[in-house]
């Protein structure tokens, strides 16, 4: 099929999905959308999107259907629930899952959809809500080459860097690798800041000189100044990172691979969440670590 | 004193000190040098440096004396040993310690030298042997402002980015922060690679897509490809990183600050060293982690 895709669906209009759907709409696609809370579709409908009654109804209308929901069971419900995508899909439909979920479950979902001629691509993203709004996301795509080629023009609308990393499920494996590297660099940056602060070192000077060398990372350069300023506003919320690190832990467990660094970062973030900080940005780990060495037991 | 410094000493001509001394010599300074193994001074002497009999003899000849030895006791021996710097120094001498050592000991050494009118600056470096050869090191300087200003032209010869981070000892604190951030990013990169390899993900694609986003780090971009290629050749040797992480642990202990991420990275590297890998590059942690999930017990 050489015709450009024109009929596109988007299911899951959260902080990420809504701006991604809007960018697809602005690019000239006929958008049909669905969200569990219909109110969240208002802006899109106002801009010309059609609100459907169910994921099945979206699937019946479109050539390509994006899904962007929280976790593995949510994707399963959207795909295979009573009014799910599988109920409305015609053979030839391509489903692109932008959620971050379990890689093994993704492969299972793909197999079940293949039975009715539907192709599933996993395409988790990195770059946060700002990246979603600006269409500058990094997208890690798993799935068959021909389907990826077919939807690439749509992916180019929502992302800046589109990488086809392997067969279906590999997008999710790559996203897990991303969160593991993130967790290590975040923990290194937070511990470095805690050590600096405890010793009265100028934090901005430390971030500058350390960030310029072999210890440099996106986390240190971008979150370090926020940690120094006790600014906990979320770029990426601890609750979401904890969800992703639970997915990492499941994969590592399936692999019988110990990932102790990622597990330690998860434990630190869980401690912050347990103190009511789940909706803070991940950089709140910095203040938590610093306080570990600075509080006083009283009787 | 507005006159440019011309008489410079360098004590400790190892893999870092030798090229740093050479750059100072090439910049037109009259160099007097000393090394425990005199043979290592040959190239410098051939290029015009004077070889002295002892650190004391170097100190008696120069206006600024650099020290670059392995660890805290080595610096103490060079400064206060029988033929140490303190025995030969005249008031007004500035000693610049490029070694990575204990911050508290540095402050103690500075106080002892101040008693005879000698100023100690701590100026640990980052950037490896390549940075030392090219004169592109990052240098974290602690000490009084006027002394730092006086020696800055010399530091500009050996480094690209010179940051005065605070009073004496703060250079070492900053270097510890550097190694903590390094350790976290290294561990994150190694665990991400281990997870990718275990799942058959294309490693170079993973490094590219993950490295471009919020999980990006110098460690992932520079050491990741080496890990992917099982190339363990040292940029920075595990034995040296272990020495630095022991210094970090001492500082954290003095601070009563738990730095569990750095401690975990140290433990991983210690395991590699225990298997005979101490002279490999720090990226060998990657293969070690991957193998943790891939070996078989046999009876």
């Amino acid at each position: 099929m050489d015709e450009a895709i024109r009929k596109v669906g988007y299911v899951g209009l959260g902080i990420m999905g809504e701006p991604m759907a809007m960018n697809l709409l602005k690019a000239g696609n006929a958008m049909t959308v669905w969200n569990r809370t219909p109110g969240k579709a208002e802006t899109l409908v106002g801009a010309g999107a059609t609100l459907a009654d169910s994921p099945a109804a979206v699937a019946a209308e479109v050539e390509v259907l994006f899904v962007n929901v929280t976790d593995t069971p949510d994707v399963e419900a959207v795909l295979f629930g009573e009014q799910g995508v599988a109920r409305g899909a015609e053979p030839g439909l391509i489903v692109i899952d932008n959620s971050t979920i379990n890689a093994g479950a993704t492969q299972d979902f793909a197999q079940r959809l293949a039975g009715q001629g539907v192709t599933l691509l996993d395409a988790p993203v990195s770059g946060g809500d700002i990246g979603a709004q600006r269409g500058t996301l990094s997208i890690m795509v798993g799935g068959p080459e021909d389907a990826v080629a077919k939807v690439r023009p749509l992916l180019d609308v929502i992302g800046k860097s589109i990488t086809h990393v392997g067969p279906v499920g590999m997008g999710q494996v790559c996203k897990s690798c991303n969160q593991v590297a993130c967790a290590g660099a975040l923990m290194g940056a937070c511990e470095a800041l805690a050590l600096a602060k405890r010793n009265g070192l100028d934090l901005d000077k430390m971030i500058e000189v350390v960030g310029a060398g072999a210890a440099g990372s996106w986390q240190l350069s971008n979150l370090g100044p926020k940690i120094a300023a006790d600014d906990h506003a979320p770029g990426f919320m601890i609750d979401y990172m904890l969800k992703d690190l639970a997915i990492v832990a499941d994969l590592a467990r399936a692999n019988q691979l110990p990932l102790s660094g990622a597990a330690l970062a998860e434990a630190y973030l869980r401690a912050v969440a347990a103190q009511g900080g789940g909706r803070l940005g991940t950089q709140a780990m910095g203040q938590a670590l610093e306080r570990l060495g600075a509080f006083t037991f009283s009787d």
Side-chain angles (χ1 to χ4, degrees), chain A:
Chain A
M1 291 215 289
D2 284 290
E3 285 174 55
I5 294 157
R6 282 284 166 260
K7 297 167 80 177
V8 176
Y10 213 107
V11 167
L13 306 170
I15 193 172
M16 296 296 287
E18 201 267 351
M20 290 163 79
M22 186 61 87
N23 284 332
L24 288 164
L25 179 69
K26 284 181 183 165
N29 298 291
M31 297 297 296
T32 306
V33 301
W34 182 85
N35 195 65
R36 197 168 45 185
T37 313
K40 290 194 180 166
E42 268 173 25
T43 313
L44 277 160
V45 170
T50 302
L51 180 62
D53 278 346
S54 65
V58 177
E61 279 301 316
V62 302
E63 299 159 276
V64 175
L65 188 155
F66 289 84
V67 178
N68 202 336
V69 292
T70 305
D71 210 345
T72 311
D74 308 300
V75 172
E76 185 164 26
V78 161
L79 294 181
F80 305 109
E82 213 169 305
Q83 292 295 316
V85 167
R87 294 287 174 98
E90 299 289 331
L93 178 69
I94 299 174
V95 176
I96 303 175
D97 183 16
N98 293 136
S99 322
T100 294
I101 68 165
N102 185 287
T106 295
Q107 290 167 332
D108 174 54
F109 297 162
Q111 206 160 17
R112 288 158 72 182
L113 288 174
Q116 62 183 100
V118 173
T119 303
L120 178 66
L121 307 178
D122 56 327
V125 305
S126 170
D129 52 344
I130 302 290
Q133 288 158 28
R134 296 187 182 159
T136 58
L137 296 166
S138 287
I139 312 184
M140 306 154 223
V141 191
E145 181 66 53
D146 57 342
V148 174
K150 200 166 163 187
V151 302
R152 191 174 283 266
L154 296 176
L155 297 176
D156 283 333
V157 168
I158 57 176
K160 189 181 61 173
S161 155
I162 319 299
T163 309
H164 182 204
V165 294
V168 69
M170 282 302 178
Q172 297 297 350
V173 170
C174 195
K175 180 68 187 282
S176 277
C177 295
N178 190 80
Q179 299 308 63
V180 166
C182 229
L186 170 68
M187 187 160 60
C190 288
E191 288 192 348
L193 263 294
L195 187 64
K197 194 158 183 180
R198 198 82 166 86
N199 288 280
L201 181 62
D202 183 304
L203 301 183
D204 293 319
K205 278 185 187 167
M206 188 281 276
I207 292 165
E208 191 191 328
V209 65
V210 169
S217 67
W218 187 100
Q219 296 285 317
L220 179 63
S221 297
N222 288 274
L223 300 186
K226 292 189 183 184
I227 297 170
D230 286 338
D231 170 5
H232 305 314
F236 187 55
M237 255 184 231
I238 284 176
D239 280 343
Y240 291 143
M241 185 64 170
L242 282 171
K243 186 216 77 172
D244 290 359
L245 288 173
I247 289 166
V248 166
D250 282 343
L251 180 60
R253 203 170 285 120
N255 291 162
Q256 299 189 288
L257 183 67
L259 292 181
S260 307
L264 177 59
E266 185 188 352
Y268 278 144
L269 291 171
R270 204 185 294 135
V272 179
Q275 298 295 320
R279 299 185 70 78
L280 302 178
T282 51
Q283 75 274 14
M285 187 201 279
Q287 195 175 83
L289 288 178
E290 170 208 320
R291 285 185 178 173
L292 264 177
F295 73 101
T296 306
F297 280 105
S298 52
D299 52 2

